[in-house]
Every structure is written in C-alpha cells, then in structure tokens.
Amino acid sequence: MPSRLIHTAEHGLVVFCGAGVSMVPPSSLPSWWALNEQIVASLAALIERYCGAAQAQAWAALLNARRTAGSFPPEYQAELISRHFGSAYFKVLQCLDGETPNAVHESLAALAQAGVVRVIVTSNFDRLLERAFARRGVPLDVHITAAQFEALADRLAGEPSPAAPCQLLKLHGSVEEPDTLVDTLAQRMRGLSPAICSATRSCLQRYHWLFLGYSGADLEANPHYLGLQAEAATAVGLSWLVRDDARVTVPPSVTRIVSLFGERGELLRGELPGWLQQAFGRWLAPAADPAAATPLTPSVPAREALVRHTREWAEALGPERAALVIADMLSHVAGDPAAARELLTKVLDAASTPTNARPALANALANTLNSLGDIAAARQVAEAALARLPAGEGPERIGLQSTLGLIDFGAGAWEAALEAFDRVAADSAARGDDERRGIALHNRAMVLERMARFDDAAECYGEELALVTRLGDVMAQAQAQNNLAALHLRTGHYAQAIDAARAAIALRERLGDELGVAHAMGNIGSALSQQGDVKGALAAYEKILAVFRRIGHRQGELTTLLNLGTVAGEAHDHARAEAPLREALALATATGHGGERLRALWELAATCRETGRPDEARALLAEALVLARAAQDRAAEANVLVETGVLHWRGGALAEAEAALRDGIRLRETIAEPTALDAARSNLALVLRAQGRLDEAAALLEALLASAAQRGEQGTVAHLHYNLGALQHERGQVDEVVRHFDAAQRWYRDAGQTTRAVQVLATLGTVCGTQGKVGASLAWFDQAIALASEAAHRDAIGAGLKRVIEVLLRNGYPDIAQTFAQRGASG
C-alpha cells in the first residue's frame, strides 16, 4: 500500500464507488454498458412482430456495435429513450439493485466502523452499501434528495464531529426513488446541484479521496464533475485504482485530473476485492485468499434477471413506443434514416397498431421522409395524421404542425413555415414545454435565415442556445451551433463560422455522432474555401469523405465528392476537380440520385470547358438539359442553361451566350433562390461587358450589388465591388474604380482573406499610379506591403509597381519612378 494512502487513511478517507464495485460477485450487478446493450435488445424484441426477428436483431446488433466502438455513449442512449418514454424510462434502472453485498461493500462498512472511511460518494443507484452497513450494525447517513444534500452541505461547512456516522452521498439518486435518478445526457450536462458541489468541495479540502471501480465516464462529458479540477490546487489528494489488466487503459480525462494534483495524486493498479485486503489489512479481518482476483462476469442468474427485468419494462411501454425509439436510434446513431422509414412504415401499416399511437408514429415518419428529401410523401403523411386528430390543441397536434412547418421550409414556403413555428413556440411557452419551445426557436431561426433576416436569425439562435444549454440538451446545442456556422458563412463571417462549426463538432463527438461531425466539418470546408484556403478546404472535405465512406453514408459521400470537385474547380485546379466529379457522376447514376447526377454533369462540363474540351462540355450539358426537363427540375434546368451560356461566352459566341443566360434567368426568376438568380445575372453582365455594352453591364452589376447587400451576403457584395471596379476601369471612371476596389479590399481584410486583399490593394496602387495620382498610389502599395506575408503577395505587388514604373519612365519622371522602385525593394 502506498505510504501516502497509509498516512492519509489515518486521518480519514472519502471513497468514491463506481459501477465496478457492485459488479463484483456475489452482487454481480450489470455494468452500465451491459445494461444498455440489454435495453436495446429488449426493445428490438418488441419490434420483431413488425419486421421479423432477423431484421430486429440485426438492427440491435448494429446499434450495440456502435456503442462498443465508442460511438454511442450510454448517456446518449438514455437521452433518446427518455425523450419518448419520459419518466417511465427510469424504471428500467431499478434492476440495478441487489440483496447481497459483496466483499467490497463489506470491507467499506468495516473501514467506516474503524473510522477510516468517513464519507462514501457514489454514482451507483443500488442499495448494497446500505445493506452491508446494516448487516454490521454500522451507522450510515444516506443523502439522496435535494433537501438532504442542502442540510449536509451546511453541516460539512462547519467542523465535523468525530462521532458523526459515515456519510453516503448518492449523487445520481437511488432505485427506491426513481424521480431522483440521473442517467440521461441532458441531466449530466446540467451538472450537480450547488448543494452537492458545496459538499464535495468540503470533502476535497478535508479528506484524501480513493476512487474504486470507476471509469471516469462522467469526466469525459463534464471535466468539472465533482469539482476535482477546480479544487486540485488545494485539495488533500486522491488515489485512483485502475484494474490490473494490460487491456485496461486509463482514460485521458482521468490521467489529466490525477496530473493536476501533482505529488498529491496517484494512479494505482489492482483488482477488487483483493486489493482492499492488501491495502487496508490492518483494519480488516483476513480473507481466505486476499490476493485472489474475482471475475467481474455476471453470474447466470444475474444475467437472467437483467433480461427478465428489461423485457418486462419494455413490454409495459408497448411495441409502438419501442419502434419509435429504435427508429430514432437508426436515424441519429446508425445514420440510416432509410431503415427508420422502413420500420415506421411497417408499424403504421400494421392493423394492430392502436389509434392513440398513430399520431406520434406518423409524425416520426413524416420527419424521416422529409430528411430523406421525399417532401411530397412527408406532407401527405403529416396532413393525413393531422386530419384524423380530434379538435383542440394538444401535444400531438403541435408536433404535427411543427413537422408541416419543416416541410414548408423545405419547399421554400417561408411565410407559412414561419407562421407554423411562431404558433408552436407560443403554444409550447404557454404549456411550459421548454424542450418543444427550443425546437420551435431553432426552426424559426432557420426560416428567418432563408428570408435573409440574418440579424433576427442570429438572435433567435442565441435564444435557443441559451435555452437548450440550460436544459443540458447537447444534441440541440450541436444543431444550433452548426446552423450558426452556416449563417456566418452566408454573411461572410468565416472565422466565426469556423468557431461555431468546431463547437458543433466537439458536441457531436461527445455524442459519438460521426454523421453530425461530418456535416459540421462541411461548414468548415466551405468557410476555408470562401477564405481562399483551397488547400485547407480540400483537406477538410477529404476527411469528411473518409467519415461518410466508413459509416456507409452514400448520400454524404456523393455530396462531398461534388464539393471536392467544386472547390478544386473554383481554385482553377481542374485536373484535380475532374476525378471526384466523375466518381460522383458514377455514384449518382448507380444510386439513382437524379439531382446529384445533374449537378455532376454540369460541373463536369465546366471542368471540360476550362481544360479545352468544349465539345465534351457541350455533350454533357445537352444530356443534363434533357434530364432536367424530363424531371421538371426548373432549378437544375436553369443551372444547365447558365453553364451553357458561359460555354458560349468562352467560345466567343456572345449572342448565343446571351440567349442561354437570359433563358436561365427567366427560369430562375420563378424560383425563390435569389443568390442563384444573381449568379446567373452576374454572368450575363460579363457577356454584356464582352459585347462592349458597358453601361448595361454597369447598371446590372449595380442592381446585383444592391440585391446582395439587402440579403446581407457580404462576401458576394465584395466580389461585385471588385467586378464593378474592373468594369469602371474599362470605362475610364477612375474615382469609381477606387470606390469599388476600396470597398472590396476592406471586406477582404476584415474577413481574413489576405491574398485577395493584397491583390486588390496592388491593383488600386497600379490604377492610381498609372493615372498620375502618385500619393494615393504609394499609400495603396504601402498597405499591400504591410499585409504581404507570402511570395505570391509580393509577386502581385511587384507586378503592379513594375507597371507604374514603366509608365512613369515613359512619361519622363525618373525620380518618381525611383521612389516606387524603393518601395519594391523595401517590400
């Protein structure tokens, strides 16, 4: 036994008991992991009547494999189940109790009797410690309720009585009082009550702590758990027992906490209950074989009792609710909404499904169909379910109205969607339903964003984040952060977009949600691309692609391949763009994703156009146009026409280019996608400029500038200022050139797009210098030089200076030319 623990034991110990303490035979309680695996198996057994035993067992095995791989934390499973079952979920946890204490419980009772153990803190629900103390006749004060913890905190703040009995703090409740149990992710994220924190803080300052049978899982989700981190500098110390098994690794969260205690912290190796006899033998009666390790495998009767209890619990809740939970897990954990759709459809089609269960099932199916892009079917399911409901407001009606709002949102009916979410938010607030109100706020913010009310959307997301953080709803926090990232992207705030996406990733990783991580990484890829960091964007998309491929998410794989091609193409690396675009085309064709196939065709056509293969580009666009018109996909048809117009423009067929672009614009004017409409108009402005119709081109670009500014698309505004500056340069309007280029460079600088900012500043210096505005020219070049940090930046500045120097020398101003040359040398 380490000397530090011997010394501190004489002054009293706090022992923290994790689940491993009660897993020791003959208690043989299941581990948290084993319990959750059996819960899934018992829920799956109930849905066999709908999908057959083989399919139900396969889905259960898939979900449990995700947990084994570390991608489905038990607290997240508890969160998903409790959302459907409410407080009834916690009844399943009552199987975590037993009648027979083991040698660890008995030893702790004996050590308390000897005055060594003064306080026991546990996350366990069982009453085995209480029974061990009772069998020995050792007094024990048990604390479970809020009132009990408040009284204890006050008592511990003073000087404890040496005659006081051992104190047992059951942090997460006790089985005999289900309403005290803490198991879900939301509960854990809310943290311990102030009274509990005060009590543990007092214990850390007064006694050495010994951790037994505890993995430290709570520290993974919340590093502030128990106040260990905050009190590390002044606490007495801690010892953490880890199983003496080479296969058992110490979690990083535990290693970090122990390291914070310095010399007052230690990691020990040993097996319970033998280690306790070896360490505290002077206070304990000899055991028959104190060195013997006790296997932690539950006995056959214990396993049978676990199966029996979880099945009885599941059957009491019913097969329809079991199907809702399994479908939720399939969508959000396995990343397979198609499987969820299959299950929910079969339950609704079953004649045995009772009427009162159908609204919730229909709502879940409509949401699943909407997520799969089948908007018409989603609307049909939700509206039919709503029509069958009796008159009056109720949670079922509110839920279906919310789903219809989401469907309207997907269809671009913003006003209808906003009206639905406003109604849901008001009804939820009136009912005191904060969870549903949080969902309504999230949905409302999404609509406001689409309506270009960006400030209102950001405010709404902020209100939602405050609410769901208070509720401890990690999934909702992750969704809000990811949507905030997308909002920042639209408004050109790329640094903030990356910060929000990283926050979403951290939350998704805590949930083991690889699919959510990949989607958040997509926002980072987009932000990097918009900042001109092509290398970073491509690297992000490569990581995302690997995730989608690993979990078999073909839709995500397809979208990411297209994004890889787009980013490479925008960076003019058309050779790199071609491979993922051709792979995307093949995958879209194989999987029947018509919209993605169309996108692959026109993006591949752009690649062929840029690499000198106009005939191949023309053939791809012709195929795409036929497919778009057959599918009656006006947006896709408009995109193909715009690409066709650009192809004609690049080939010098300006009349044909104008005709194709105007056809595409006419289609775009019937679709509520102003950004895409303005992109088409921007291409038309380029054609008009090429035709020498500079006044028309300028007027069109000014209109586009006003439109983008109204939508708050600051990145687009900057690019349009740049294009207008270039156009006004052709028209000889120097003051207008300066005005537009200056606006562009200021935004590029604020957005962190240094390369673009340096290029525009160098252009400003060149324009002013060649027009004889020497002072202004030098000032612009000085700003560019101050920003320059790469060879490409210095090359752009050098090219501009060279052009000005040539003009000055030609016009007979060698002294001024020398001044510009000196600027080049200093840069």
Side-chain angles (χ1 to χ4, degrees):
M1 177 177 176
S3 58
R4 173 172 294 279
L5 195 52
I6 291 174
H7 174 72
T8 54
E10 294 173 348
H11 297 278
L13 292 175
V14 172
V15 177
F16 187 98
C17 294
V21 166
S22 296
M23 291 169 62
V24 174
S27 304
S28 299
L29 294 190
S31 70
W32 204 14
W33 303 89
L35 170 63
N36 279 275
E37 181 176 340
Q38 186 55 50
I39 287 173
V40 169
S42 295
L43 290 170
L46 280 182
I47 66 169
E48 290 180 3
R49 66 194 70 190
Y50 303 119
C51 58
Q55 182 63 81
Q57 291 167 15
W59 283 336
L62 171 64
L63 295 168
N64 285 326
R66 296 281 293 169
R67 184 184 307 102
T68 302
S71 298
F72 188 20
E75 64 268 29
Y76 184 34
Q77 174 174 312
E79 182 73 20
L80 291 177
I81 297 174
S82 68
R83 288 186 178 186
H84 293 281
F85 293 173
S87 60
Y89 162 69
F90 295 96
K91 292 181 180 179
V92 75
L93 303 178
Q94 292 181 300
C95 69
L96 295 174
D97 200 12
E99 296 297 326
T100 310
N102 60 44
V104 181
H105 302 117
E106 299 286 0
S107 295
L108 292 176
L111 290 170
Q113 191 172 35
V116 174
V117 173
R118 305 290 179 84
V119 179
I120 299 175
V121 181
T122 184
S123 55
N124 296 344
F125 308 139
D126 64 72
R127 293 172 289 182
L128 291 166
L129 279 166
E130 293 96 308
R131 292 189 170 105
F133 274 69
R135 282 167 56 161
R136 286 183 170 267
V138 181
L140 181 68
D141 285 348
V142 182
H143 306 275
I144 303 168
T145 67
Q148 290 169 340
F149 280 118
E150 287 170 5
L152 176 65
D154 291 339
R155 192 159 68 248
L156 289 176
E159 192 63 32
S161 168
C166 181
Q167 307 295 309
L168 174 60
L169 284 65
K170 303 190 80 169
L171 303 181
H172 295 172
S174 193
V175 289
E176 74 271 23
E177 297 189 45
D179 60 339
T180 66
L181 299 181
V182 174
D183 190 42
T184 70
L185 183 61
Q187 289 176 315
R188 292 174 185 275
M189 289 305 298
R190 282 196 289 271
L192 301 172
S193 71
I196 292 177
C197 292
S198 175
T200 58
R201 186 163 51 250
S202 296
C203 290
L204 282 164
Q205 296 298 323
R206 188 168 288 136
Y207 303 115
H208 188 92
W209 283 47
L210 170 62
F211 287 81
L212 301 177
Y214 181 51
S215 67
D218 296 282
L219 290 168
E220 294 289 341
N222 180 10
H224 305 289
Y225 187 64
L226 297 173
L228 296 174
Q229 180 174 283
E231 302 298 321
T234 56
V236 174
L238 64 78
S239 302
W240 201 299
L241 182 68
V242 181
R243 291 194 62 194
D244 192 14
D245 186 331
R247 295 169 298 176
V248 177
T249 59
V250 182
S253 58
V254 173
T255 302
R256 180 175 176 277
I257 288 295
V258 173
S259 69
L260 290 176
F261 279 72
E263 294 181 353
R264 294 168 293 110
E266 59 185 353
L267 286 169
L268 306 172
R269 287 279 183 173
E271 292 290 336
L272 294 173
W275 181 86
L276 274 175
Q277 183 67 44
Q278 293 172 336
F280 297 97
R282 61 188 286 189
W283 293 287
L284 298 173
D289 184 7
T294 305
L296 297 185
T297 305
S299 62
V300 172
R303 286 199 300 271
E304 290 176 346
L306 173 63
V307 172
R308 183 173 60 256
H309 181 90
T310 55
R311 287 193 172 175
E312 289 174 355
W313 164 81
E315 286 168 3
L317 293 167
E320 298 81 20
R321 295 170 80 181
L324 282 170
V325 172
I326 294 294
D328 206 354
M329 292 179 179
L330 288 170
S331 285
H332 294 102
V333 177
D336 191 355
R341 175 185 58 193
E342 177 186 347
L343 172 58
L344 292 167
T345 301
K346 287 179 176 178
V347 180
L348 280 166
D349 287 346
S352 61
T353 301
T355 301
N356 62 357
R358 290 183 175 274
L361 289 161
N363 197 20
L365 178 58
N367 275 299
T368 303
L369 290 166
N370 196 38
S371 73
L372 288 166
D374 194 346
I375 294 174
R379 185 182 297 280
Q380 181 180 5
V381 168
E383 287 180 345
L386 195 60
R388 286 192 293 267
L389 284 177
E393 293 297 331
E396 295 87 359
R397 182 174 296 278
I398 292 173
L400 286 164
Q401 287 173 338
S402 181
T403 298
L404 282 167
L406 285 172
I407 294 168
D408 283 330
F409 172 76
W414 316 132
E415 294 291 349
L418 187 61
E419 181 182 347
F421 296 140
D422 282 343
R423 185 166 58 249
V424 171
D427 290 343
S428 301
R431 290 172 171 272
D433 188 344
D434 282 344
E435 182 179 339
R436 196 178 292 277
R437 178 169 164 261
I439 296 170
L441 285 170
H442 181 87
N443 294 337
R444 186 174 185 275
M446 290 195 303
V447 178
L448 290 168
E449 180 184 345
R450 288 297 184 92
M451 297 173 75
R453 292 168 57 181
F454 298 122
D455 290 342
D456 291 338
E459 182 180 348
C460 202
Y461 280 131
E463 185 179 354
E464 180 208 1
L465 265 174
L467 175 61
V468 298
T469 300
R470 177 170 59 80
L471 294 175
D473 191 336
V474 177
M475 181 189 292
Q477 291 176 55
Q479 290 172 336
Q481 291 284 15
N482 200 42
N483 281 37
L484 265 175
L487 176 61
H488 289 315
L489 278 175
R490 291 197 67 186
T491 54
H493 297 97
Y494 300 120
Q496 294 95 318
I498 291 173
D499 287 344
R502 283 176 175 160
I505 288 170
L507 293 163
R508 293 288 189 186
E509 286 177 339
R510 186 181 302 165
L511 299 173
D513 183 359
E514 286 187 287
L515 188 58
V517 168
H519 286 308
M521 286 176 64
N523 279 326
I524 291 180
S526 296
L528 293 172
S529 175
Q530 290 297 323
Q531 287 179 307
D533 185 358
V534 175
K535 184 177 179 181
L538 291 172
Y541 284 130
E542 291 288 0
K543 288 181 181 179
I544 299 166
L545 186 63
V547 172
F548 284 135
R549 283 176 168 166
R550 183 169 65 252
I551 65 178
H553 195 285
R554 304 200 82 187
Q555 174 67 59
E557 178 185 358
L558 177 52
T559 301
T560 307
L561 285 167
L562 289 167
N563 287 339
L564 275 167
T566 299
V567 171
E570 289 175 349
H572 306 292
D573 189 351
H574 302 292
R576 183 170 185 173
E578 186 163 354
L581 289 174
R582 289 200 181 279
E583 193 174 352
L585 180 58
L587 182 56
T589 302
T591 56
H593 285 88
E596 286 77 4
R597 185 179 178 216
L598 278 166
R599 179 182 166 190
L601 284 168
W602 74 64
E603 295 226 25
L604 192 56
T607 297
C608 292
R609 178 192 74 220
E610 295 296 331
T611 51
R613 292 173 286 168
D615 291 341
E616 187 175 354
R618 196 172 293 109
L620 288 165
L621 289 171
E623 181 183 355
L625 189 59
V626 170
L627 291 173
R629 285 173 173 167
Q632 296 183 335
D633 188 336
R634 290 177 298 149
E637 183 180 353
N639 286 336
V640 175
L641 287 167
V642 169
E643 282 297 329
T644 302
V646 174
L647 180 63
H648 285 312
W649 169 52
R650 289 295 184 85
L654 299 181
E656 292 85 348
E658 182 180 354
L661 287 166
R662 290 195 184 279
D663 285 344
I665 288 168
R666 276 191 288 272
L667 275 173
R668 275 279 163 216
E669 287 171 341
T670 67
I671 305 168
E673 292 181 358
T675 301
L677 172 61
D678 283 359
R681 287 172 169 161
S682 183
N683 281 314
L684 178 59
L686 294 174
V687 171
L688 294 173
R689 178 181 171 188
Q691 291 174 320
R693 295 153 65 181
L694 300 184
D695 290 345
E696 290 178 65
L700 181 52
L701 288 173
E702 290 285 2
L704 293 171
L705 180 62
S707 177
Q710 185 178 18
R711 291 195 303 273
E713 295 177 357
Q714 298 304 316
T716 303
V717 168
H719 300 325
L720 285 164
H721 272 302
Y722 181 84
N723 288 336
L724 273 163
L727 179 62
Q728 297 295 5
H729 191 213
E730 283 189 47
R731 300 175 77 196
Q733 303 292 326
V734 177
D735 290 342
E736 286 297 293
V737 173
V738 172
R739 181 172 72 85
H740 288 297
F741 278 165
D742 184 27
Q745 69 86 17
R746 279 189 281 108
W747 185 86
Y748 290 142
R749 292 173 75 166
D750 290 343
Q753 298 187 35
T754 305
T755 297
R756 290 180 177 174
V758 169
Q759 290 171 344
V760 179
L761 285 165
T763 303
L764 276 164
T766 305
V767 169
C768 290
T770 56
Q771 294 296 319
K773 298 186 175 185
V774 174
S777 175
L778 289 170
W780 292 122
F781 278 123
D782 285 343
Q783 290 187 54
I785 290 167
L787 275 182
S789 59
E790 299 176 8
H793 300 167
R794 289 184 284 274
D795 289 344
I797 295 166
L801 286 168
K802 182 181 178 182
R803 171 69 178 139
V804 174
I805 290 168
E806 289 173 350
V807 171
L808 289 169
L809 290 173
R810 187 165 58 246
N811 291 329
Y813 298 104
D815 293 341
I816 300 176
Q818 182 62 31
T819 302
F820 280 87
Q822 289 170 353
R823 285 295 200 282
S826 65

